[in-house]
mmCIF file of all heavy atoms in Angstrom:
data_model
loop_
_atom_site.group_PDB
_atom_site.id
_atom_site.type_symbol
_atom_site.label_atom_id
_atom_site.label_comp_id
_atom_site.label_asym_id
_atom_site.label_seq_id
_atom_site.Cartn_x
_atom_site.Cartn_y
_atom_site.Cartn_z
ATOM 1 N N VAL A 224 0.874 -1.159 0.002
ATOM 2 C CA VAL A 224 -0.002 0.001 0.001
ATOM 3 C C VAL A 224 0.917 1.218 0.002
ATOM 4 O O VAL A 224 1.764 1.367 0.875
ATOM 5 C CB VAL A 224 -0.932 0.024 1.225
ATOM 6 C CG1 VAL A 224 -1.763 1.291 1.243
ATOM 7 C CG2 VAL A 224 -1.840 -1.198 1.214
ATOM 8 N N VAL A 225 0.750 2.072 -1.005
ATOM 9 C CA VAL A 225 1.611 3.245 -1.164
ATOM 10 C C VAL A 225 0.757 4.491 -0.992
ATOM 11 O O VAL A 225 -0.295 4.626 -1.602
ATOM 12 C CB VAL A 225 2.277 3.249 -2.559
ATOM 13 C CG1 VAL A 225 3.187 4.450 -2.702
ATOM 14 C CG2 VAL A 225 3.032 1.959 -2.793
ATOM 15 N N GLY A 226 1.226 5.415 -0.151
ATOM 16 C CA GLY A 226 0.533 6.670 0.077
ATOM 17 C C GLY A 226 -0.233 6.660 1.390
ATOM 18 O O GLY A 226 -0.144 5.727 2.182
ATOM 19 N N SER A 227 -0.976 7.743 1.596
ATOM 20 C CA SER A 227 -1.767 7.863 2.819
ATOM 21 C C SER A 227 -3.050 8.607 2.508
ATOM 22 O O SER A 227 -3.146 9.326 1.518
ATOM 23 C CB SER A 227 -0.969 8.609 3.896
ATOM 24 O OG SER A 227 -0.658 9.917 3.458
ATOM 25 N N GLY A 228 -4.033 8.418 3.355
ATOM 26 C CA GLY A 228 -5.310 9.104 3.194
ATOM 27 C C GLY A 228 -6.037 8.675 1.940
ATOM 28 O O GLY A 228 -6.139 7.491 1.632
ATOM 29 N N ASP A 229 -6.537 9.659 1.185
ATOM 30 C CA ASP A 229 -7.275 9.378 -0.041
ATOM 31 C C ASP A 229 -6.348 9.039 -1.211
ATOM 32 O O ASP A 229 -6.818 8.595 -2.248
ATOM 33 C CB ASP A 229 -8.142 10.583 -0.424
ATOM 34 C CG ASP A 229 -9.264 10.803 0.571
ATOM 35 O OD1 ASP A 229 -9.655 9.831 1.252
ATOM 36 O OD2 ASP A 229 -9.755 11.950 0.672
ATOM 37 N N ASN A 230 -5.055 9.249 -1.058
ATOM 38 C CA ASN A 230 -4.105 9.017 -2.141
ATOM 39 C C ASN A 230 -3.424 7.653 -2.045
ATOM 40 O O ASN A 230 -2.328 7.475 -2.573
ATOM 41 C CB ASN A 230 -3.039 10.113 -2.159
ATOM 42 C CG ASN A 230 -3.633 11.458 -2.511
ATOM 43 O OD1 ASN A 230 -4.599 11.534 -3.249
ATOM 44 N ND2 ASN A 230 -3.064 12.508 -1.979
ATOM 45 N N ARG A 231 -4.051 6.698 -1.394
ATOM 46 C CA ARG A 231 -3.462 5.359 -1.267
ATOM 47 C C ARG A 231 -3.789 4.529 -2.499
ATOM 48 O O ARG A 231 -4.889 4.602 -3.039
ATOM 49 C CB ARG A 231 -3.990 4.645 -0.036
ATOM 50 C CG ARG A 231 -3.539 5.272 1.262
ATOM 51 C CD ARG A 231 -3.899 4.448 2.444
ATOM 52 N NE ARG A 231 -5.354 4.184 2.491
ATOM 53 C CZ ARG A 231 -5.932 3.356 3.334
ATOM 54 N NH1 ARG A 231 -5.206 2.684 4.200
ATOM 55 N NH2 ARG A 231 -7.228 3.182 3.328
ATOM 56 N N VAL A 232 -2.811 3.738 -2.934
ATOM 57 C CA VAL A 232 -2.999 2.789 -4.024
ATOM 58 C C VAL A 232 -2.329 1.479 -3.646
ATOM 59 O O VAL A 232 -1.417 1.446 -2.825
ATOM 60 C CB VAL A 232 -2.433 3.300 -5.367
ATOM 61 C CG1 VAL A 232 -3.236 4.448 -5.907
ATOM 62 C CG2 VAL A 232 -0.984 3.642 -5.250
ATOM 63 N N LEU A 233 -2.786 0.417 -4.259
ATOM 64 C CA LEU A 233 -2.235 -0.924 -4.041
ATOM 65 C C LEU A 233 -1.359 -1.264 -5.240
ATOM 66 O O LEU A 233 -1.831 -1.294 -6.373
ATOM 67 C CB LEU A 233 -3.361 -1.928 -3.884
ATOM 68 C CG LEU A 233 -2.978 -3.346 -3.540
ATOM 69 C CD1 LEU A 233 -2.338 -3.401 -2.166
ATOM 70 C CD2 LEU A 233 -4.193 -4.249 -3.594
ATOM 71 N N LEU A 234 -0.052 -1.481 -4.993
ATOM 72 C CA LEU A 234 0.902 -1.802 -6.052
ATOM 73 C C LEU A 234 1.627 -3.088 -5.709
ATOM 74 O O LEU A 234 1.850 -3.385 -4.534
ATOM 75 C CB LEU A 234 1.943 -0.696 -6.204
ATOM 76 C CG LEU A 234 1.451 0.689 -6.605
ATOM 77 C CD1 LEU A 234 2.590 1.676 -6.533
ATOM 78 C CD2 LEU A 234 0.880 0.636 -8.011
ATOM 79 N N VAL A 235 2.018 -3.835 -6.732
ATOM 80 C CA VAL A 235 2.845 -5.022 -6.537
ATOM 81 C C VAL A 235 4.292 -4.599 -6.768
ATOM 82 O O VAL A 235 4.670 -4.224 -7.871
ATOM 83 C CB VAL A 235 2.429 -6.155 -7.500
ATOM 84 C CG1 VAL A 235 3.345 -7.344 -7.332
ATOM 85 C CG2 VAL A 235 0.985 -6.551 -7.248
ATOM 86 N N LEU A 236 5.082 -4.615 -5.684
ATOM 87 C CA LEU A 236 6.475 -4.156 -5.709
ATOM 88 C C LEU A 236 7.382 -5.217 -5.118
ATOM 89 O O LEU A 236 6.915 -6.098 -4.398
ATOM 90 C CB LEU A 236 6.603 -2.864 -4.885
ATOM 91 C CG LEU A 236 5.784 -1.662 -5.329
ATOM 92 C CD1 LEU A 236 5.848 -0.564 -4.283
ATOM 93 C CD2 LEU A 236 6.276 -1.160 -6.666
ATOM 94 N N PRO A 237 8.688 -5.131 -5.368
ATOM 95 C CA PRO A 237 9.622 -6.070 -4.741
ATOM 96 C C PRO A 237 9.619 -5.906 -3.221
ATOM 97 O O PRO A 237 9.386 -4.821 -2.703
ATOM 98 C CB PRO A 237 10.984 -5.686 -5.319
ATOM 99 C CG PRO A 237 10.693 -4.861 -6.502
ATOM 100 C CD PRO A 237 9.359 -4.239 -6.289
ATOM 101 N N ASP A 238 9.909 -6.970 -2.533
ATOM 102 C CA ASP A 238 9.909 -6.958 -1.069
ATOM 103 C C ASP A 238 11.257 -6.423 -0.544
ATOM 104 O O ASP A 238 12.014 -7.123 0.126
ATOM 105 C CB ASP A 238 9.643 -8.366 -0.548
ATOM 106 C CG ASP A 238 9.293 -8.383 0.916
ATOM 107 O OD1 ASP A 238 8.998 -7.305 1.466
ATOM 108 O OD2 ASP A 238 9.324 -9.478 1.521
ATOM 109 N N ILE A 239 11.553 -5.162 -0.838
ATOM 110 C CA ILE A 239 12.822 -4.531 -0.433
ATOM 111 C C ILE A 239 12.598 -3.315 0.444
ATOM 112 O O ILE A 239 13.563 -2.680 0.861
ATOM 113 C CB ILE A 239 13.650 -4.118 -1.665
ATOM 114 C CG1 ILE A 239 12.819 -3.207 -2.556
ATOM 115 C CG2 ILE A 239 14.149 -5.327 -2.402
ATOM 116 C CD1 ILE A 239 13.588 -2.584 -3.678
ATOM 117 N N TYR A 240 11.352 -2.982 0.732
ATOM 118 C CA TYR A 240 11.041 -1.754 1.442
ATOM 119 C C TYR A 240 10.883 -1.948 2.952
ATOM 120 O O TYR A 240 10.392 -1.056 3.634
ATOM 121 C CB TYR A 240 9.752 -1.143 0.875
ATOM 122 C CG TYR A 240 9.874 -0.699 -0.554
ATOM 123 C CD1 TYR A 240 9.566 -1.556 -1.609
ATOM 124 C CD2 TYR A 240 10.314 0.573 -0.865
ATOM 125 C CE1 TYR A 240 9.676 -1.152 -2.925
ATOM 126 C CE2 TYR A 240 10.429 1.004 -2.175
ATOM 127 C CZ TYR A 240 10.117 0.129 -3.202
ATOM 128 O OH TYR A 240 10.245 0.532 -4.504
ATOM 129 N N SER A 241 11.313 -3.067 3.485
ATOM 130 C CA SER A 241 11.059 -3.358 4.892
ATOM 131 C C SER A 241 11.795 -2.422 5.839
ATOM 132 O O SER A 241 11.254 -2.023 6.865
ATOM 133 C CB SER A 241 11.413 -4.809 5.207
ATOM 134 O OG SER A 241 12.775 -5.046 4.913
ATOM 135 N N SER A 242 13.027 -2.024 5.522
ATOM 136 C CA SER A 242 13.807 -1.212 6.461
ATOM 137 C C SER A 242 13.473 0.269 6.408
ATOM 138 O O SER A 242 13.585 0.971 7.411
ATOM 139 C CB SER A 242 15.305 -1.411 6.225
ATOM 140 O OG SER A 242 15.661 -0.956 4.936
ATOM 141 N N PHE A 243 13.019 0.774 5.266
ATOM 142 C CA PHE A 243 12.763 2.213 5.143
ATOM 143 C C PHE A 243 11.419 2.537 4.524
ATOM 144 O O PHE A 243 11.111 3.697 4.297
ATOM 145 C CB PHE A 243 13.871 2.870 4.299
ATOM 146 C CG PHE A 243 14.102 2.198 2.981
ATOM 147 C CD1 PHE A 243 13.293 2.457 1.889
ATOM 148 C CD2 PHE A 243 15.142 1.295 2.817
ATOM 149 C CE1 PHE A 243 13.505 1.842 0.670
ATOM 150 C CE2 PHE A 243 15.358 0.674 1.609
ATOM 151 C CZ PHE A 243 14.536 0.953 0.532
ATOM 152 N N GLY A 244 10.597 1.555 4.257
ATOM 153 C CA GLY A 244 9.338 1.755 3.548
ATOM 154 C C GLY A 244 8.356 2.671 4.230
ATOM 155 O O GLY A 244 7.728 3.509 3.587
ATOM 156 N N ALA A 245 8.207 2.565 5.538
ATOM 157 C CA ALA A 245 7.243 3.407 6.248
ATOM 158 C C ALA A 245 7.611 4.877 6.158
ATOM 159 O O ALA A 245 6.736 5.747 6.093
ATOM 160 C CB ALA A 245 7.141 2.974 7.700
ATOM 161 N N ALA A 246 8.888 5.186 6.121
ATOM 162 C CA ALA A 246 9.335 6.578 6.056
ATOM 163 C C ALA A 246 9.051 7.214 4.697
ATOM 164 O O ALA A 246 8.907 8.428 4.609
ATOM 165 C CB ALA A 246 10.829 6.669 6.371
ATOM 166 N N ILE A 247 8.974 6.395 3.634
ATOM 167 C CA ILE A 247 8.698 6.946 2.313
ATOM 168 C C ILE A 247 7.298 6.615 1.826
ATOM 169 O O ILE A 247 6.954 6.844 0.680
ATOM 170 C CB ILE A 247 9.752 6.478 1.282
ATOM 171 C CG1 ILE A 247 9.766 4.967 1.133
ATOM 172 C CG2 ILE A 247 11.125 7.004 1.637
ATOM 173 C CD1 ILE A 247 10.644 4.467 -0.002
ATOM 174 N N GLY A 248 6.460 6.083 2.704
ATOM 175 C CA GLY A 248 5.055 5.854 2.386
ATOM 176 C C GLY A 248 4.750 4.554 1.683
ATOM 177 O O GLY A 248 3.724 4.442 1.030
ATOM 178 N N VAL A 249 5.634 3.546 1.794
ATOM 179 C CA VAL A 249 5.417 2.248 1.152
ATOM 180 C C VAL A 249 5.355 1.196 2.256
ATOM 181 O O VAL A 249 6.339 0.954 2.932
ATOM 182 C CB VAL A 249 6.551 1.920 0.154
ATOM 183 C CG1 VAL A 249 6.302 0.573 -0.494
ATOM 184 C CG2 VAL A 249 6.690 3.002 -0.887
ATOM 185 N N VAL A 250 4.195 0.577 2.433
ATOM 186 C CA VAL A 250 3.992 -0.388 3.510
ATOM 187 C C VAL A 250 3.548 -1.715 2.905
ATOM 188 O O VAL A 250 2.616 -1.759 2.093
ATOM 189 C CB VAL A 250 2.927 0.110 4.511
ATOM 190 C CG1 VAL A 250 2.717 -0.874 5.631
ATOM 191 C CG2 VAL A 250 3.326 1.476 5.065
ATOM 192 N N LYS A 251 4.223 -2.795 3.300
ATOM 193 C CA LYS A 251 3.875 -4.135 2.809
ATOM 194 C C LYS A 251 2.492 -4.509 3.302
ATOM 195 O O LYS A 251 2.143 -4.323 4.462
ATOM 196 C CB LYS A 251 4.915 -5.132 3.298
ATOM 197 C CG LYS A 251 4.709 -6.528 2.789
ATOM 198 C CD LYS A 251 5.814 -7.438 3.270
ATOM 199 C CE LYS A 251 5.606 -8.855 2.858
ATOM 200 N NZ LYS A 251 6.689 -9.726 3.341
ATOM 201 N N LEU A 252 1.687 -5.060 2.407
ATOM 202 C CA LEU A 252 0.330 -5.458 2.726
ATOM 203 C C LEU A 252 0.341 -6.775 3.468
ATOM 204 O O LEU A 252 0.934 -7.752 3.018
ATOM 205 C CB LEU A 252 -0.500 -5.577 1.454
ATOM 206 C CG LEU A 252 -1.962 -5.960 1.630
ATOM 207 C CD1 LEU A 252 -2.701 -4.867 2.391
ATOM 208 C CD2 LEU A 252 -2.612 -6.193 0.302
ATOM 209 N N VAL A 253 -0.314 -6.789 4.629
ATOM 210 C CA VAL A 253 -0.461 -7.997 5.423
ATOM 211 C C VAL A 253 -1.954 -8.267 5.546
ATOM 212 O O VAL A 253 -2.696 -7.435 6.051
ATOM 213 C CB VAL A 253 0.194 -7.851 6.812
ATOM 214 C CG1 VAL A 253 -0.009 -9.109 7.639
ATOM 215 C CG2 VAL A 253 1.662 -7.514 6.677
ATOM 216 N N GLY A 254 -2.385 -9.412 5.077
ATOM 217 C CA GLY A 254 -3.815 -9.734 5.146
ATOM 218 C C GLY A 254 -4.560 -9.209 3.933
ATOM 219 O O GLY A 254 -4.021 -9.088 2.835
ATOM 220 N N ASP A 255 -5.832 -8.869 4.144
ATOM 221 C CA ASP A 255 -6.683 -8.387 3.062
ATOM 222 C C ASP A 255 -6.388 -6.919 2.753
ATOM 223 O O ASP A 255 -6.010 -6.149 3.626
ATOM 224 C CB ASP A 255 -8.159 -8.523 3.448
ATOM 225 C CG ASP A 255 -8.580 -9.980 3.588
ATOM 226 O OD1 ASP A 255 -7.964 -10.823 2.905
ATOM 227 O OD2 ASP A 255 -9.508 -10.257 4.376
ATOM 228 N N PRO A 256 -6.590 -6.517 1.484
ATOM 229 C CA PRO A 256 -6.382 -5.104 1.148
ATOM 230 C C PRO A 256 -7.432 -4.215 1.817
ATOM 231 O O PRO A 256 -8.570 -4.650 2.018
ATOM 232 C CB PRO A 256 -6.528 -5.069 -0.369
ATOM 233 C CG PRO A 256 -7.126 -6.345 -0.774
ATOM 234 C CD PRO A 256 -6.919 -7.328 0.328
ATOM 235 N N PRO A 257 -7.072 -2.996 2.175
ATOM 236 C CA PRO A 257 -8.036 -2.097 2.797
ATOM 237 C C PRO A 257 -9.176 -1.742 1.839
ATOM 238 O O PRO A 257 -8.967 -1.692 0.617
ATOM 239 C CB PRO A 257 -7.218 -0.842 3.121
ATOM 240 C CG PRO A 257 -5.796 -1.216 2.955
ATOM 241 C CD PRO A 257 -5.741 -2.400 2.084
ATOM 242 N N ALA A 258 -10.327 -1.508 2.376
ATOM 243 C CA ALA A 258 -11.494 -1.164 1.558
ATOM 244 C C ALA A 258 -11.298 0.205 0.932
ATOM 245 O O ALA A 258 -10.821 1.139 1.581
ATOM 246 C CB ALA A 258 -12.750 -1.176 2.419
ATOM 247 N N GLY A 259 -11.658 0.327 -0.327
ATOM 248 C CA GLY A 259 -11.588 1.611 -1.017
ATOM 249 C C GLY A 259 -10.226 1.973 -1.571
ATOM 250 O O GLY A 259 -10.044 3.071 -2.076
ATOM 251 N N VAL A 260 -9.251 1.077 -1.496
ATOM 252 C CA VAL A 260 -7.920 1.348 -2.039
ATOM 253 C C VAL A 260 -7.819 0.661 -3.403
ATOM 254 O O VAL A 260 -7.855 -0.558 -3.491
ATOM 255 C CB VAL A 260 -6.811 0.837 -1.089
ATOM 256 C CG1 VAL A 260 -5.451 1.050 -1.712
ATOM 257 C CG2 VAL A 260 -6.901 1.534 0.250
ATOM 258 N N PRO A 261 -7.701 1.455 -4.479
ATOM 259 C CA PRO A 261 -7.663 0.844 -5.818
ATOM 260 C C PRO A 261 -6.313 0.199 -6.104
ATOM 261 O O PRO A 261 -5.273 0.640 -5.624
ATOM 262 C CB PRO A 261 -7.901 2.041 -6.733
ATOM 263 C CG PRO A 261 -7.385 3.207 -5.981
ATOM 264 C CD PRO A 261 -7.652 2.910 -4.529
ATOM 265 N N SER A 262 -6.339 -0.843 -6.912
ATOM 266 C CA SER A 262 -5.131 -1.506 -7.374
ATOM 267 C C SER A 262 -4.779 -0.932 -8.736
ATOM 268 O O SER A 262 -5.647 -0.763 -9.590
ATOM 269 C CB SER A 262 -5.358 -3.008 -7.460
ATOM 270 O OG SER A 262 -4.223 -3.635 -7.985
ATOM 271 N N THR A 263 -3.513 -0.628 -8.960
ATOM 272 C CA THR A 263 -3.088 -0.033 -10.217
ATOM 273 C C THR A 263 -1.669 -0.455 -10.534
ATOM 274 O O THR A 263 -1.069 -1.226 -9.795
ATOM 275 C CB THR A 263 -3.219 1.506 -10.168
ATOM 276 O OG1 THR A 263 -2.943 2.034 -11.472
ATOM 277 C CG2 THR A 263 -2.293 2.113 -9.149
ATOM 278 N N THR A 264 -1.139 0.047 -11.625
ATOM 279 C CA THR A 264 0.240 -0.234 -12.007
ATOM 280 C C THR A 264 1.123 0.955 -11.635
ATOM 281 O O THR A 264 0.626 2.055 -11.387
ATOM 282 C CB THR A 264 0.351 -0.503 -13.512
ATOM 283 O OG1 THR A 264 -0.023 0.676 -14.225
ATOM 284 C CG2 THR A 264 -0.523 -1.673 -13.926
#
């Protein structure tokens, strides 16, 4: 899940953002995707 608030999108990215992802707005999805977050490229 990339972004925050209304600007969140669901992207498929490499699993390399674990150490710094939260600081740049990229959080690995755990479980089901949040409601209302569109999936895009």
Side-chain angles (χ1 to χ4, degrees):
V224 176
V225 181
S227 61
D229 293 336
N230 294 330
R231 293 188 304 171
V232 291
L233 185 65
L234 298 173
V235 177
L236 300 170
D238 194 14
I239 55 172
Y240 296 91
S241 59
S242 63
F243 52 81
I247 61 172
V249 180
V250 180
K251 183 177 176 181
L252 181 64
V253 178
D255 294 332
V260 177
S262 176
T263 187
T264 63

